[in-house]
């Protein structure tokens, strides 16, 4: 029932439905941006620690440098996915604005045709079925999915590969 109700609502208010989708996507993008900022800060913190380790214990820093490089690559991947998702969301919003203008004109034409006694096909069904709107929505959905995947991505090895042994007697307290 709920799905049928949602479909009926979308048919009755196609532009509002698209505008709500756009708002939801902007909220997702804002959350993703915040998560990315937190991740970037942690990568910077880790880079500072690795840099300090390289100065005080250069032999121990190599494994962490490898990990830092992987984290920086992952950060760039996530940034690229966020940028793409933002571009696709903007394209979706622009297509929705164009559809809203067409919808308004189509509704006016339908009213005029009814007043003139002429039957007219539902112009909005044609509009919403158009290839360009579908492709914009598909591209935006793909970009959002790729962003979600990138945000969930982790570095495969978070610790150095080889076991580390430390001489605790050499550490001054």
């Amino acid at each position: 029932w709920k799905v049928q109700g949602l479909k009926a609502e979308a048919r009755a208010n196609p532009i509002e439905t698209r505008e709500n989708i756009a708002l939801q996507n902007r909220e997702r993008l804002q959350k993703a941006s915040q998560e990315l900022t937190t991740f970037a800060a942690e990568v910077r913190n880790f880079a500072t620690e690795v840099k300090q380790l390289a100065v005080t214990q250069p032999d121990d820093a190599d494994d962490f440098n490898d990990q830092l490089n992987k984290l920086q690559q992952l950060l760039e991947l996530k940034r690229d996915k966020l940028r793409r998702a933002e571009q696709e969301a903007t394209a979706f919003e622009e297509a929705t604005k164009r559809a809203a203008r067409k919808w308004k004109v189509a509704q006016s034409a339908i009213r005029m045709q009814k007043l003139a006694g002429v039957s007219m096909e539902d112009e909005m069904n044609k509009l919403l079925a158009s290839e360009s709107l579908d492709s914009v929505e598909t591209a935006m959905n793909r970009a959002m999915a790729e962003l979600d995947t990138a945000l969930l991505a982790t570095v495969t090895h978070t610790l150095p590969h080889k076991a580390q042994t430390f001489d605790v007697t050499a550490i001054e307290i």
Side-chain angles (χ1 to χ4, degrees):
W1 291 91
K2 188 174 182 176
V3 172
Q4 289 176 342
L6 291 173
K7 285 181 177 181
E9 177 67 24
R11 276 191 300 276
N13 301 299
I15 300 304
E16 290 84 358
T17 299
R18 288 182 66 87
E19 289 170 341
N20 285 333
I21 291 169
L23 286 173
Q24 291 168 357
N25 284 330
R26 282 294 167 189
E27 289 171 5
R28 284 177 64 195
L29 287 171
Q30 184 177 8
K31 183 179 178 201
S33 179
Q34 291 168 347
E35 290 174 11
L36 186 57
T37 299
T38 300
F39 181 68
E42 288 302 318
V43 170
R44 284 181 182 227
N45 290 340
F46 185 68
T48 300
E49 292 295 326
V50 171
K51 190 176 185 180
Q52 290 173 354
L53 184 65
V55 170
T56 60
Q57 298 166 257
D59 294 341
D60 295 329
D62 288 341
D63 289 328
F64 292 106
N65 277 322
D66 292 340
Q67 185 181 8
L68 176 59
N69 289 334
K70 289 177 184 176
L71 286 168
Q72 289 170 331
Q73 290 172 0
L74 180 59
L75 178 59
E76 278 310 306
L77 171 72
K78 290 181 179 199
R79 283 180 175 150
D80 288 342
K81 296 296 181 186
L82 180 61
R83 277 190 286 272
R84 180 164 181 261
E86 287 172 342
Q87 291 169 347
E88 295 299 340
T90 298
F92 181 82
E93 291 163 357
E94 290 302 316
T96 299
K97 287 178 187 175
R98 286 191 309 275
R101 289 188 290 273
K102 287 182 180 180
W103 169 252
K104 187 175 179 179
V105 172
Q107 291 303 304
S108 180
I110 290 169
R111 285 191 302 276
M112 298 301 268
Q113 299 258 339
K114 283 181 182 177
L115 288 173
V118 176
S119 176
M120 186 175 172
E121 215 177 297
D122 182 8
E123 290 298 315
M124 197 55 206
N125 285 340
K126 287 182 186 177
L127 176 65
L128 291 179
S130 82
E131 202 60 40
S132 62
L133 282 178
D134 288 346
S135 66
V136 169
E137 186 167 1
T138 299
M140 185 208 50
N141 287 336
R142 180 178 320 245
M144 296 301 279
E146 288 175 357
L147 175 64
D148 290 343
T149 302
L151 289 174
L152 294 174
T154 58
V155 177
T156 54
H157 300 289
T158 57
L159 296 175
H161 299 301
K162 57 186 173 184
Q164 300 271 331
T165 56
F166 299 99
D167 180 6
V168 294
T169 59
I171 300 173
E172 292 183 30
I173 298 178

